Amino acid sequence: MAGFATTSEKEVIATTVADGSIRPFRFGAPEEDLVELRRRIQATRWPDKETVSDRSQGVPLAKLRRLVEYWGTLYDWRKVEATLNSLPQFITDIDGVEIQFAHIRSAHDDAMPMLMTHGWPGSIIELLKVIEPLTDPPAHGGAAEDAFHLVLPTLPGYGYSGKPRSIGWNPARIASAFHTLMLRLGYPRYVSQGGDWGAIISEVLASHSPGGLLGIHVNMPGTVPADVLRHLRNFDPAPAELSDREKMAYDRLLHFYRDGFGYAAMMNQSPQTIGYALADSPAAMAGYYYEKFAEWTDSDGEPERVFRYDEMLDAITLYWLTNTGASSSRSYWEGAQAGGGPFDAVDIPQLPVAVSVFPAEIYRAPRSWGERSFGNIMYWNEVDKGGHFAAWEQPQIFCEEVRAAFKSLRT
Amino acid sequence: MSVTIEKATAVRPFRVDIPNEAVEGLQRRVAATRWPSKELVADGSQGVQLATIQALARYWATDYDWRKAEAKLNALPQFKTEIDGVEIHFIHVKSRHENALPLLITHGWPGSVFELLGVIGPLTDPTAHGGKAEDAFSLVLPSLPGYGFSGEPAEVGWGPGRIAGAWAELMNRLGYSRYVAQGGDQGASVTDAMARVAPKGLLGIHLNLLSAFPTAVQAAIFAGYFPAPEGLLKRLAIALVAAGADKEPKAANATAAVFRRGYLVEQGEHPQTVGYSLMDSPVGLAAWMLDHDPDSYAKISHAFLDGAPSGGLTRDHIVDNITLYWLTGTATSAARIYWEETQGILAALKSGQKPPKLSLPVAFTVFPSELIQAPRSWAEKVYPNLIYFNEVDKGGHFAAWEQPELFSQEMRAAFRTLR
């Protein structure tokens, strides 16, 4: 295929879907918001230390204090803001909600358009490191024919996208909105990539197989078959009929549902309740999100090994400045209303699916499960480093995976 | 050296006296609250609604007077004494009637001694409240370790069992050789544990929440940690049949739902993580405490939005209780009791150790809006010596708080045969 959007196709798209204008967007946090954030951090009222010497009661006091004290003194939001503003960013209304996105076109004409969607507690900040390698591969150890045009939208209720004012913004509706976004940008043929919510949205999109979507790559695949899921929901030990590889996946999922599910239980039921503290207390927000950096990165619970403080705080500060702790939590409530869990198998009978399994992901999906619901696996690989925040933790491996994943669609 | 020990374990009078700057600091924080956007639904299905919590915050930051709450406490005889290394705060009101029965009542989460203030008059001075002199109780109302003005344990292990031991020592220290105990919520777990230990002098207990389930039911709820042949719901069903409670699907569903409540899962797993929220944001704390169960949430909402409180759940009482958590900075240590309880249950199940048999007399009252409408068959199964079982017609989870008169009548009836 010679390029993904010819001029004539673009014109057709423009006349049929150009019902929303696309406006340039720039980040620019008011200085008083940054001053106020620092004031609140200085005024933090800390609890006493946990009564254990490990993470078993949650984020240890000493760890969070150090991070938050850095946040209130040496941390500088303007640096990441400048990085974000060096990207072409836009905002457009889709289905009644403003969608903010970065749109980076490759210099290579035949680049493949790719929609990349972040998750919770993430944002496009977790994707910053992969932008150049993916759009300009020759400068980063790749070949020109590996290039992508990137569209990186912000989920509704997150960052500088609008906050939905009515219910119903479940993964299917978001997927549909992002498909509209790709068409509106003049990409009648594209691929989709994601982890966390981004994986779920990519899978839902693929299951609907809208015209123009060529394939997807996910780094947190939903593969757990319904019969296995039933056991998991009942907190059963691994069923005997599972293979060793499947048992390993099962045990990790069981651990997640038993010891690491409180945050989701709360957001599934009462996003508004937890939302008050996330809106009012920087330390509350930092603790809530840092816990996931600790649990889900390939770091043995020490996220400082893979992320600098600045990186973690860039991610957290974006939530703080946009006051999106509650509105982003609502995506869990929406997901719960729609039914199903984050790892449930999604039937994608025909569309090509690529999967990269990172070792410290919440669970390491076995290919045998993937084959039961994905009818057309074009790529499946297990890498040796990285966790849930794959693009952020291991950008180089992540880019190699994405290139390899979509190679077969470029002939 | 022995002097120090005596000092610590001595029973010392206590008065509440919060510095002005702490009270003002709280008002300042409430007034400076940064709010999230409004929920997207017209009911409580996304959690505590913005209108409710904003009404609470307005009242808290403007009209509310903590000094009145403090005066209520200081009008009562309060003491502190160190037990098992932790300072225990308690209210001790002796009845003027001779032969009054000593009664220890334990509050729960998200409660405090404030939820029990309304029953002090009727229980200690029944003749002034439609009762008889022979119904009188002398009351001991302790604050749980990590709660209110009690000290905060600095080590693990302070689950219901250890607290029960501390309460027995407290009654001993107060010179009570014959007494009874009562509790709901976490207070029910502690009171149940006391009855299993059966310290000398404890004559019987009364509960208004079934916290002890048949071991098989408990094993079913926590089964994921251990090899078990069947799924949770099936195991639960089997356990309930074993408990003679298979005819009670409503109660079984309610039980399963309680164990899936967001606050309970989070506090059981990671009390420290959510603790940062509860310590630093008054409104975050208030919302978390209001999201305990739909019935009490609805009642509290009415108190703030329509000025129509349900029983004792008035605006002042609600805010007194939340303010106590805030000013004492105990929300994190209070949340930890769920972690302790989970650890204790898991350890017991893992070791295969069954809780000690309970042969002391047990009385039980079912309040109609409680989380679980405990069927008589369940109560009989876990408490073979059930001396009293009654279903009353009003009241919910915070029974003593909501319906102090009715609760007091239940105490009188429940313990009559033990006098």
Side-chain angles (χ1 to χ4, degrees):
Chain A
M1 174 184 321
F4 286 86
T6 64
T7 311
S8 61
E9 278 167 340
K10 271 186 194 163
E11 282 162 3
V12 172
I13 297 301
T15 53
T16 52
V17 297
D19 58 342
S21 62
I22 293 173
R23 288 155 287 139
F25 174 84
R26 280 176 68 81
F27 284 77
E31 189 60 29
E32 60 263 35
D33 287 2
L34 297 174
V35 171
E36 171 66 2
L37 168 59
R38 254 175 256 125
R39 187 196 67 75
R40 283 180 186 256
I41 290 171
Q42 305 302 344
T44 300
R45 211 173 70 127
W46 294 100
D48 283 336
K49 188 183 170 303
E50 62 283 355
T51 54
V52 291
S53 56
D54 56 21
R55 292 187 293 129
S56 62
Q57 289 181 344
V59 176
L61 178 67
K63 291 234 157 203
L64 191 63
R65 273 198 92 134
R66 221 174 300 138
L67 178 73
V68 171
E69 276 161 15
Y70 181 88
W71 197 12
T73 51
L74 297 171
Y75 173 73
D76 180 7
W77 162 257
R78 296 297 183 200
K79 285 187 194 162
V80 74
E81 195 173 81
T83 307
L84 289 165
N85 284 335
S86 71
L87 301 171
Q89 293 179 89
F90 306 90
I91 199 156
T92 189
D93 186 289
I94 303 178
D95 197 6
V97 171
E98 296 263 84
I99 299 296
Q100 186 270 338
F101 62 99
H103 181 196
I104 307 101
R105 283 188 63 87
S106 170
H108 302 280
D109 284 346
D110 287 349
M112 179 183 267
M114 178 158 70
L115 168 74
M116 281 181 80
T117 307
H118 67 87
W120 182 96
S123 63
I124 64 172
I125 289 174
E126 73 187 58
L127 305 173
L128 290 178
K129 294 175 194 170
V130 301
I131 292 174
E132 285 192 20
L134 291 176
T135 54
D136 187 12
H140 296 83
E145 52 268 34
D146 290 329
F148 293 92
H149 298 306
L150 292 181
V151 177
L152 314 178
T154 299
L155 291 168
Y158 287 65
Y160 286 98
S161 277
K163 297 174 175 120
R165 287 198 202 89
S166 56
I167 61 171
W169 277 91
N170 53 36
R173 184 154 169 196
I174 298 170
S176 164
F178 288 177
H179 177 68
T180 300
L181 175 64
M182 294 306 277
L183 297 185
R184 197 174 286 178
L185 291 173
Y187 294 126
R189 283 196 288 275
Y190 67 97
V191 295
S192 175
Q193 196 286 331
D196 197 86
W197 281 115
I200 294 166
I201 286 159
S202 295
E203 287 164 354
V204 169
L205 192 60
S207 72
H208 293 185
S209 192
L213 179 67
L214 302 176
I216 66 168
H217 171 264
V218 290
N219 52 288
M220 191 192 82
T223 68
V224 184
D227 52 324
V228 177
L229 200 64
R230 231 172 357 256
H231 287 290
L232 201 58
R233 291 233 169 99
N234 286 335
F235 286 179
D236 291 337
E241 66 270 20
L242 298 187
S243 70
D244 287 351
R245 182 65 188 73
E246 291 166 345
K247 270 186 189 140
M248 184 175 84
Y250 187 94
D251 288 342
R252 289 273 284 271
L253 287 165
L254 198 54
H255 170 75
F256 173 78
Y257 281 114
R258 278 186 333 204
D259 296 326
F261 195 64
Y263 80 102
M266 199 60 210
M267 295 196 292
N268 285 343
Q269 284 169 18
S270 293
Q272 193 70 18
T273 301
I274 186 69
Y276 295 111
L278 299 178
D280 192 37
S281 163
M285 182 175 259
Y288 212 58
Y289 298 164
Y290 173 91
E291 176 176 283
K292 300 309 156 200
F293 300 155
E295 289 182 352
W296 298 344
T297 51
D298 190 3
S299 70
D300 292 323
E302 309 278 341
E304 296 81 2
R305 289 182 193 166
V306 294
F307 297 142
R308 288 176 293 112
Y309 270 4
D310 283 337
E311 293 180 273
M312 289 191 269
L313 292 169
D314 288 345
I316 296 166
T317 308
L318 178 58
Y319 278 81
W320 177 266
L321 291 173
T322 54
N323 195 5
T324 46
S327 51
S328 62
S329 297
R330 282 180 207 133
S331 54
Y332 281 75
W333 186 89
E334 292 285 359
Q337 299 291 311
F343 313 113
D344 299 12
V346 180
D347 274 325
I348 306 175
Q350 281 168 351
L351 209 80
V353 174
V355 172
S356 296
V357 179
F358 286 77
E361 181 54 275
I362 294 170
Y363 86 117
R364 287 164 71 173
R367 183 173 176 135
S368 56
W369 285 354
E371 283 170 349
R372 290 171 62 178
S373 48
F374 301 150
N376 181 3
I377 296 178
M378 61 176 161
Y379 181 83
W380 188 289
N381 191 34
E382 300 208 9
V383 299
D384 62 357
K385 274 191 294 202
H388 181 74
F389 304 95
W392 200 12
E393 292 179 66
Q394 295 293 340
Q396 193 181 335
I397 297 175
F398 178 87
C399 291
E400 287 162 8
E401 285 299 299
V402 172
R403 288 173 195 155
F406 290 120
K407 195 149 272 175
S408 64
L409 295 182
R410 291 188 191 252
T411 47
Chain B
M1 208 156 113
S2 62
V3 175
T4 334
I5 291 163
E6 273 173 28
K7 232 180 179 173
T9 57
V11 174
R12 290 155 286 133
F14 173 80
R15 281 178 64 81
V16 180
D17 186 14
I18 300 287
N20 269 332
E21 55 264 37
V23 177
E24 287 161 10
L26 168 59
Q27 283 169 333
R28 210 168 40 240
R29 278 178 191 259
V30 175
T33 299
R34 194 176 77 143
W35 298 99
S37 53
K38 186 178 174 297
E39 68 281 354
L40 308 181
V41 290
D43 55 23
S45 64
Q46 288 189 334
V48 174
Q49 289 152 283
L50 188 65
T52 296
I53 199 79
Q54 285 192 332
L56 187 154
R58 260 195 308 278
Y59 180 67
W60 205 1
T62 54
D63 296 337
Y64 176 72
D65 182 1
W66 163 255
R67 296 301 173 198
K68 284 188 193 158
E70 208 171 78
K72 278 184 245 172
L73 291 174
N74 287 337
L76 299 164
Q78 294 178 90
F79 304 90
K80 274 191 170 189
T81 187
E82 187 185 308
I83 304 177
D84 198 4
V86 172
E87 282 270 275
I88 299 299
H89 161 258
F90 62 99
I91 296 169
H92 184 193
V93 186
K94 287 188 182 159
S95 172
R96 62 190 165 85
H97 297 288
E98 268 184 62
N99 299 324
L101 183 62
L103 167 63
L104 180 147
I105 305 182
T106 309
H107 68 83
W109 186 94
S112 66
V113 290
F114 273 120
E115 64 182 288
L116 305 173
L117 298 188
V119 301
I120 293 176
L123 290 177
T124 58
D125 190 9
T127 50
H129 294 82
K132 297 185 214 126
E134 55 266 36
D135 287 329
F137 294 93
S138 286
L139 288 182
V140 178
L141 312 176
S143 297
L144 288 166
Y147 285 66
F149 297 103
S150 277
E152 183 177 326
E155 57 180 356
V156 298
W158 278 92
R162 189 153 169 191
I163 298 168
W167 280 187
E169 170 56 21
L170 175 62
M171 293 307 270
N172 178 44
R173 210 170 275 180
L174 295 176
Y176 289 127
S177 55
R178 292 166 61 78
Y179 63 94
V180 292
Q182 198 285 334
D185 196 80
Q186 291 291 353
S189 304
V190 170
T191 306
D192 170 272
M194 281 181 87
R196 288 179 199 282
V197 176
K200 196 167 167 297
L202 180 63
L203 304 176
I205 63 169
H206 175 274
L207 305 169
N208 57 296
L209 177 72
L210 192 68
S211 73
F213 299 99
T215 309
V217 173
Q218 208 160 61
I221 290 162
F222 289 89
Y225 293 83
F226 313 101
E230 302 285 353
L232 171 62
L233 292 177
K234 193 163 178 189
R235 279 192 309 267
L236 202 51
I238 292 168
L240 294 178
V241 171
D246 53 315
K247 304 287 191 296
E248 308 288 352
K250 209 176 141 203
N253 287 337
T255 306
V258 165
F259 283 89
R260 287 175 176 159
R261 289 290 294 176
Y263 83 87
L264 189 137
V265 177
E266 178 69 2
Q267 296 194 147
E269 267 176 20
H270 291 157
Q272 192 72 18
T273 302
V274 72
Y276 299 114
S277 307
L278 310 180
M279 280 295 291
D280 194 38
S281 167
V283 160
L285 171 67
W288 190 257
M289 291 172 75
L290 257 50
D291 202 355
H292 178 271
D293 66 280
D295 176 67
S296 66
Y297 169 68
K299 289 171 177 167
I300 292 168
S301 285
H302 282 307
F304 285 98
L305 295 178
D306 322 332
S310 175
L313 291 177
T314 63
R315 291 196 303 183
D316 270 335
H317 286 184
I318 300 301
V319 177
D320 286 348
N321 185 52
I322 297 168
T323 307
L324 176 67
Y325 275 70
W326 178 267
L327 292 175
T328 55
T330 47
T332 310
S333 50
R336 232 172 254 148
I337 199 169
Y338 287 83
W339 186 90
E340 289 286 358
E341 217 175 7
T342 306
Q343 301 295 315
I345 291 169
L346 294 180
L349 289 171
K350 197 169 182 178
S351 67
Q353 194 193 343
K354 296 202 168 168
K357 278 264 180 281
L358 195 157
S359 51
L360 280 181
V362 175
F364 198 94
T365 304
V366 182
F367 286 82
S369 305
E370 180 55 283
L371 313 176
I372 304 163
Q373 295 304 294
R376 185 178 192 124
S377 60
W378 290 22
E380 283 171 345
K381 181 72 185 177
V382 285
Y383 301 123
N385 191 2
L386 190 69
I387 55 164
Y388 179 86
F389 185 90
N390 191 30
E391 300 187 9
V392 295
D393 62 355
K394 43 183 186 188
H397 182 69
F398 300 99
W401 204 358
E402 291 176 50
Q403 298 294 339
E405 292 290 341
L406 181 56
F407 179 89
S408 300
Q409 286 164 24
E410 285 302 295
M411 291 305 103
R412 292 171 195 156
F415 290 122
R416 191 154 285 151
T417 59
L418 299 181
R419 286 178 186 262

